[in-house]
């Protein structure tokens, strides 16, 4: 009975989210993508009013304190039709706000989380640098304690919501120890003197989710903005596994939507006097699409089901993320092929299939590429690390 109640509750949450996503955001998604429009602030506040920006954040800071599965269900329904809208829910429920909820001080939680839940402010994570992407521990951005506060100098690249977010959880070197041992993290407000931004990237996908370089030139923040001291990299990346589950869900949503649209299309579209689905080659392609989507879903759901003390198992997350990222690219590609018989339906912008495919590549790159996930899979499986440096 208890399980049935949980299933019914999750089903209701998913249905409500799907209604809002398809009625309010699906009609706007194509235009926002075409014009590379950043998600409007009033729409972000609307999501906050619905409670979608604090689903899995603590109640004492304005959230609902619900299980992560609830947030992921909402993210998935929004991501099927409008990734920029889904990104707001993703970032607040599975992104850097989770690091603050788990690792931050009471002051940091009270200062930032209620505003994030309300949609008044957004927080982005700043990890990558020009020479420190997959090799994150090669970062050189530094944070040095002085009498004035903590002074930050350096540069960050490939920052989702870069130049748009209000606060950046900035990973940086806080000590002289090499590798991960010297890395911690500091909260940097976007309006601090000395912070500036490069031009917004014109990406293949991810349109409506701004990305820009961030430059820190003697940016001073108070010591109370330190989230993790030097040596806190492992704890930070523990919280980052939650973001990877969010990333997995974004890819899962893209693959599921491509599959659903294709199933409808091949039953409605006729060639040689019968529906496309009557052709065996189409059936084989559809079966492959279903197999890949379901495999990704099962791996994601297993990672969620096995969460312990609020954190998922890193191995299970890497398995799910790698599978989902590659599934979304493959399934959207197959969807384009099966739609192609109708005047290149899948290849035009009008029907949204190509948009799903473009976005699938972005989510495969974000949060650790499939190649890096494979390294992590072996590392976690064997309980050892691997140094890829020459």
């Amino acid at each position: 009975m208890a399980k049935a109640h949980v299933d019914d509750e999750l089903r209701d949450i998913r249905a409500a989210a799907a209604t809002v996503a398809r009625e309010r955001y699906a009609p706007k998604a194509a235009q926002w993508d075409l014009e590379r429009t950043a998600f409007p602030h009033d729409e972000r506040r609307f999501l906050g009013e619905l409670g979608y920006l604090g689903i899995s954040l603590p109640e004492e800071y304005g959230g609902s304190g619900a299980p992560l599965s609830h947030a992921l269900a909402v993210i998935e329904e929004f991501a099927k039709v409008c990734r920029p809208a889904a990104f707001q829910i993703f970032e607040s429920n599975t992104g850097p706000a989770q690091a603050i909820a788990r690792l931050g001080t009471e002051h940091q939680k009270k200062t930032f989380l209620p505003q994030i839940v309300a949609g008044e402010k957004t927080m982005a994570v700043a990890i990558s640098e020009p020479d420190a992407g997959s090799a994150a521990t090669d970062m050189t951005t530094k944070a040095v304690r002085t009498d004035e506060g903590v002074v930050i100098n350096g540069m960050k690249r490939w920052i989702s919501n870069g130049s748009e977010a209000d606060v950046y959880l900035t990973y940086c070197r806080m000590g002289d120890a090499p590798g991960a041992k010297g890395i911690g993290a500091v909260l940097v407000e976007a309006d601090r003197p000395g912070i500036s931004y490069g031009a917004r990237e014109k990406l293949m996908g991810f349109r409506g989710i701004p990305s820009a370089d961030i430059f820190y030139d003697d940016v001073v923040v108070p010591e109370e903005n330190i989230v993790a001291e030097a040596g806190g990299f492992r704890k930070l990346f523990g919280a980052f596994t939650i973001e990877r589950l969010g990333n997995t869900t974004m890819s899962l949503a893209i693959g599921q939507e491509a599959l659903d649209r294709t199933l409808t299309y091949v039953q409605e579209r006729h060639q040689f006097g019968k529906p496309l689905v009557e052709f065996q080659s189409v059936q084989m392609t559809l079966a492959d699409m279903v197999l890949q989507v379901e495999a990704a879903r099962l791996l994601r759901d297993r990672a969620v089901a096995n969460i312990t003390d609020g954190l998922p198992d890193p191995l299970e997350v890497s398995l799910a993320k790698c599978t989902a990222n590659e599934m979304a690219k493959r399934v959207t590609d197959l969807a384009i092929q099966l739609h192609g018989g109708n005047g290149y339906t899948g290849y035009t912008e009008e029907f949204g299939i190509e948009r799903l495919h473009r976005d699938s590549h972005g989510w495969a790159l974000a949060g650790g590429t499939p190649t890096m996930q494979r390294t992590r899979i072996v590392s976690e499986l064997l309980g050892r690390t691997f140094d890829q440096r020459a």
Side-chain angles (χ1 to χ4, degrees):
M1 181 66 72
K3 183 179 186 301
H5 173 73
V6 170
D7 290 344
D8 288 344
E9 184 179 21
L10 195 57
R11 191 177 301 111
D12 291 344
I13 290 169
R14 183 181 292 277
T19 298
V20 175
R22 294 191 182 275
E23 291 183 357
R24 188 176 182 100
Y25 295 109
K28 303 173 183 179
Q31 193 67 26
W32 284 345
D33 179 82
L34 180 65
E35 297 176 354
R36 300 178 184 271
T37 303
F39 195 71
H41 292 185
D42 59 341
E43 291 293 347
R44 189 175 74 218
R45 286 188 284 270
F46 174 75
L47 294 176
E49 290 171 2
L50 293 181
Y52 285 155
L53 302 184
I55 300 170
S56 60
L57 292 177
E59 292 181 81
E60 56 264 43
Y61 307 109
S64 299
L68 185 61
S69 58
H70 291 195
L72 295 177
V74 174
I75 290 168
E76 182 178 349
E77 293 307 317
F78 273 78
K80 288 177 180 178
V81 296
C82 182
R83 266 70 67 197
F87 181 76
Q88 310 304 313
I89 305 167
F90 159 90
E91 197 79 326
S92 59
N93 285 285
T94 68
Q98 279 287 354
I100 303 307
R102 296 191 60 80
L103 304 176
T105 65
E106 188 64 22
H107 172 76
Q108 290 166 356
K109 294 174 186 178
K110 288 181 177 179
T111 299
F112 297 105
L113 293 185
Q115 295 183 79
I116 290 171
V117 170
E120 296 297 331
K121 288 190 175 181
T122 58
M123 182 179 292
V125 62
I127 301 176
S128 297
E129 298 179 5
D131 295 318
S134 296
T137 55
D138 284 352
M139 68 179 65
T140 59
T141 296
K142 289 186 177 181
V144 179
R145 281 184 169 88
T146 70
D147 292 339
E148 297 178 343
V150 181
V151 181
I152 303 162
N153 282 281
M155 174 188 179
K156 294 294 180 180
R157 176 161 287 174
W158 305 122
I159 310 306
S160 297
N161 233 20
S163 76
E164 182 71 16
D166 301 287
V167 186
Y168 297 94
L169 177 62
T170 303
Y171 285 54
C172 47
R173 297 213 155 272
M174 301 186 68
D176 295 328
K181 295 179 180 179
I183 296 174
V186 180
L187 289 169
V188 183
E189 295 90 339
D191 57 358
R192 291 277 177 183
I195 192 168
S196 60
Y197 308 93
R200 288 188 175 179
E201 302 285 353
K202 291 187 177 181
L203 304 178
M204 169 182 164
F206 260 44
R207 299 176 184 179
I209 304 173
S211 178
D213 291 347
I214 306 177
F215 302 94
Y216 304 81
D217 185 10
D218 288 333
V219 179
V220 181
V221 300
E223 192 160 328
E224 63 193 18
N225 278 26
I226 296 175
V227 177
E229 298 279 1
F233 188 76
R234 183 173 293 276
K235 289 183 179 179
L236 288 164
F237 254 72
F240 196 65
T241 58
I242 299 174
E243 180 159 337
R244 285 180 163 153
L245 269 184
N247 180 300
T248 301
T249 300
M250 293 291 244
S251 287
L252 178 59
I254 288 171
Q256 185 70 63
E257 182 70 7
L259 172 61
D260 291 345
R261 292 190 190 189
T262 304
L263 288 170
T264 298
Y265 178 78
V266 297
Q267 294 178 82
E268 294 176 346
R269 173 68 173 167
H270 286 66
Q271 286 286 285
F272 302 103
K274 59 182 179 180
L276 286 177
V277 74
E278 296 288 340
F279 294 94
Q280 189 179 58
S281 62
V282 172
Q283 295 164 16
M284 297 302 102
T285 301
L286 287 172
D288 284 343
M289 294 168 73
V290 173
L291 285 166
Q292 292 180 59
V293 170
E294 288 302 305
R297 184 175 297 283
L298 288 169
L299 286 169
R300 194 283 308 266
D301 288 352
R302 184 181 71 173
V304 173
N306 291 338
I307 287 175
T308 303
D309 295 329
L311 290 177
D313 179 81
L315 172 59
E316 293 185 349
V317 172
S318 289
L319 288 166
K321 183 182 185 300
C322 186
T323 301
N325 288 164
E326 296 196 331
M327 173 278 294
K329 291 191 292 182
R330 178 62 175 155
V331 167
T332 53
D333 181 61
L334 293 173
I336 289 173
Q337 294 180 44
L338 290 183
H339 279 75
N342 185 17
Y344 299 102
T345 300
Y347 199 57
T348 67
E349 293 184 355
E350 181 179 356
F351 294 93
I353 299 296
E354 60 82 35
R355 181 157 32 101
L356 288 166
H357 186 60
R358 286 190 285 105
D359 285 350
S360 73
H361 282 267
W363 287 104
L365 294 171
T369 66
T371 298
M372 292 308 300
Q373 294 311 307
R374 283 178 164 83
T375 297
R376 289 186 59 82
I377 286 167
V378 178
S379 177
E380 294 290 344
L381 192 64
L382 299 180
R384 54 173 294 191
T385 59
F386 299 98
D387 190 348
Q388 307 291 334
R389 296 168 180 81

